[in-house]
Amino acid sequence: MGGSRRTWVLATVLALLSAWYWTMVGDGGIDRSTRGKGAEVVQTYLVNTRSLSFAEDGALAEVMEATRIEHFAGDEVSSLQQPRFYSHDGNNRTWAATAEQGRLKHRTNVLILRRNVVLSNDQSGGSLQAQAMTLNLRLRTAQSKVPVTAQLDGNILRADGMFANLAKETILLQPNVEGTYVPTGP
């Protein structure tokens, strides 16, 4: 009777271990540690992507590129690695934005850029650098609430934040603006 009891206990322990194992990895290996913390599993990912958007008249309006995009369906958000965004107005005027990381909110069409962000105007050759910047793609605006450096023709302006209207090609630097002017010519 002692041998059959040991067999029964061993079978029960094995059944419990099997049930525990199945609950941890039995659904295809989904990492439950991230699901339990509210993180969402990537629905789609793309590598070395390029997306073109056109205006109603057929003119190129926007180009979005990234080395990698991960789309999270529940939040309608995409995470971008090394994003590059180009906004065209049809009159050979282009704004370009680059960064190491980005996050695109699809519902609001807002692009949040992080780490070594550069926003440049191809027409003037001027650029704005910051560690974070938010672009509203619908309104064609850019905003930074962290220190920003503006450069044009050797002149440098620094401020604690900025707002740019890409359609009107205007930039408002504030607060605490400091500048370095480099005179040109004789």
Side-chain angles (χ1 to χ4, degrees), residues 15-173:
L16 290 173
L17 282 173
S18 296
W20 174 80
Y21 179 79
W22 181 256
T23 61
M24 293 305 290
V25 296
D27 58 356
I30 294 176
D31 184 4
R32 291 185 182 275
S33 63
T34 58
R35 277 194 359 191
K37 296 176 184 170
E40 194 174 356
V41 177
V42 175
Q43 180 189 27
T44 307
Y45 70 91
L46 304 168
V47 178
N48 296 324
T49 64
R50 185 173 206 201
S51 170
L52 306 172
S53 299
F54 296 90
E56 290 180 13
D57 65 357
L60 182 63
E62 295 176 350
V63 177
M64 177 81 73
E65 300 174 338
T67 58
R68 181 178 176 93
I69 297 176
E70 296 176 342
H71 178 69
F72 302 90
D75 292 336
E76 282 299 313
V77 171
S78 292
S79 174
L80 300 93
Q81 294 299 315
Q82 297 178 342
R84 295 170 304 281
F85 174 76
Y86 306 94
S87 175
H88 302 275
D89 75 349
N91 294 320
N92 291 328
R93 296 183 186 273
T94 303
W95 286 90
T98 62
E100 290 181 27
Q101 298 175 342
R103 194 159 178 84
L104 178 63
K105 296 181 178 183
H106 297 279
R107 286 188 191 124
T108 57
N109 217 10
V110 170
L111 177 62
I112 301 166
L113 300 173
R114 298 279 186 259
R115 295 179 50 198
N116 298 320
V117 180
V118 177
L119 177 66
S120 59
N121 182 287
D122 291 350
Q123 185 74 14
S124 69
S127 68
L128 298 161
Q129 296 98 24
Q131 287 303 310
M133 194 175 294
T134 302
L135 279 72
N136 186 317
L137 306 182
R138 280 195 189 119
L139 300 177
R140 296 191 64 213
T141 60
Q143 183 174 9
S144 179
K145 294 183 179 182
V146 299
V148 63
T149 301
Q151 294 184 339
L152 177 63
D153 296 331
N155 300 307
I156 299 172
L157 292 170
R158 290 184 179 84
D160 288 342
M162 73 87 192
F163 178 83
N165 184 324
L166 306 181
K168 293 181 179 179
E169 296 186 335
T170 58
I171 300 169
L172 175 63
L173 297 170

